[in-house]
């Protein structure tokens, strides 16, 4: 969205919030647009206001956690997503977010646990399987990573990162022909394969 357009939207939403200070939807939408405009502190303020107005809605907690994650405030991001877990009927996304936080901290076992909870909660949630495969590769559990990545490709054949993760898992199991096929699928889906991995795979087994 061009800057002038997003500023117009912000101005309209700010006016609406001023006119309807107790309107949850207005404050939440304003927070979302602030985030998109690169104004994280304003977004945090408005997400918190939305939470004040409706403490039983999970969405502002998830979005607040995302802003904190982007700012590198992992403790606040974790707290927001843990609160969202208590409010969501299907909290797969919150579990994935918590996994990403643990992964960012290098807490691989906790990341695997969080992603496992995500796919247990919603087995059809492809991003959960993709992230689980990533964490399992980090943990050195390449067979499990292969199975998780395959599940993700079955759920979403166009998910480039799923094919990439499958290629990595196969590479570490010395299944280089299958890894090359998976890497080709990742590229077909528009995924930017790490050149270092591509070079290592090209040279492997030769």
């Amino acid at each position: 969205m061009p800057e002038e357009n997003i500023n117009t939207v912000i101005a309209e939403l700010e006016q609406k919030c001023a006119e309807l200070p107790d309107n949850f939807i207005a404050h939440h939408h304003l927070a979302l647009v602030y985030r998109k405009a690169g104004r994280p502190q304003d977004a945090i303020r408005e997400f918190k206001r939305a939470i004040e107005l409706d403490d039983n809605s999970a969405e502002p907690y998830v979005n607040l956690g995302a802003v904190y994650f982007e700012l590198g405030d992992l403790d606040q991001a974790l707290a927001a997503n843990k609160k969202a877990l208590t409010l969501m009927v299907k909290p797969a996304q919150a579990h994935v977010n918590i996994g990403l936080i643990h992964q960012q901290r290098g807490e691989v076992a906790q990341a695997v646990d969080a992603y496992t909870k995500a796919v247990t909660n919603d087995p059809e949630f492809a991003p959960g399987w993709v992230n689980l495969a990533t964490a399992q590769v980090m943990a050195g559990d390449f067979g499990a990573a292969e199975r998780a990545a395959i599940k993700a490709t079955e759920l979403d054949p166009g998910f480039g990162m799923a094919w990439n993760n499958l290629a990595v898992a196969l590479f570490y199991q010395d299944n280089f022909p299958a890894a090359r096929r998976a890497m080709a699928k990742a590229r077909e889906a528009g995924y930017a394969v790490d050149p270092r991995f591509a070079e290592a795979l090209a040279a492997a087994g030769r």
Side-chain angles (χ1 to χ4, degrees), residues 58-74:
E59 192 174 359
Y61 280 107
V62 171
N63 289 315
L64 178 61
V67 176
Y68 280 131
F69 184 82
E70 290 163 0
L71 292 174
D73 191 340
L74 301 184

Side-chain angles (χ1 to χ4, degrees), residues 111-127:
V112 169
D113 180 66
Y115 296 139
T116 300
K117 287 176 179 174
V119 299
T120 299
N121 177 262
D122 185 356
E124 304 301 305
F125 188 53

Side-chain angles (χ1 to χ4, degrees), residues 29-178:
H29 283 181
L30 178 57
L32 292 171
V33 179
Y34 276 145
R35 181 186 175 196
K36 189 171 184 178
R39 296 170 59 175
Q41 296 304 327
D42 289 327
I44 288 170
R45 184 190 69 243
E46 291 302 317
F47 282 133
K48 286 183 174 180
R49 177 58 182 151
I51 288 166
E52 287 176 3
L53 293 169
D54 184 0
D55 191 49
N56 292 315
S57 178
E59 192 174 359
Y61 280 107
V62 171
N63 289 315
L64 178 61
V67 176
Y68 280 131
F69 184 82
E70 290 163 0
L71 292 174
D73 191 340
L74 301 184
D75 289 340
Q76 294 270 37
L78 187 59
N81 279 287
K82 282 186 174 180
K83 178 63 177 179
L85 283 179
T86 68
L87 301 171
M88 301 172 80
V89 175
K90 280 196 168 185
Q93 184 62 63
H95 282 302
V96 165
N97 293 347
I98 289 170
L100 288 169
I101 293 164
H102 286 303
Q103 190 175 316
Q104 185 76 7
R105 288 174 165 173
E107 298 165 351
V108 178
Q110 292 95 321
V112 169
D113 180 66
Y115 296 139
T116 300
K117 287 176 179 174
V119 299
T120 299
N121 177 262
D122 185 356
E124 304 301 305
F125 188 53
W129 290 105
V130 169
N131 283 284
L132 178 58
T134 299
Q136 286 168 330
V137 166
M138 294 172 69
D141 193 349
F142 305 120
E146 178 186 352
R147 291 189 292 274
I150 287 172
K151 179 66 175 179
T153 64
E154 290 172 347
L155 290 169
D156 187 352
F159 201 153
M161 188 176 178
W163 289 106
N164 180 79
N165 286 0
L166 178 56
V168 173
L170 291 165
F171 172 84
Y172 281 113
Q173 296 176 90
D174 297 332
N175 191 345
F176 305 127

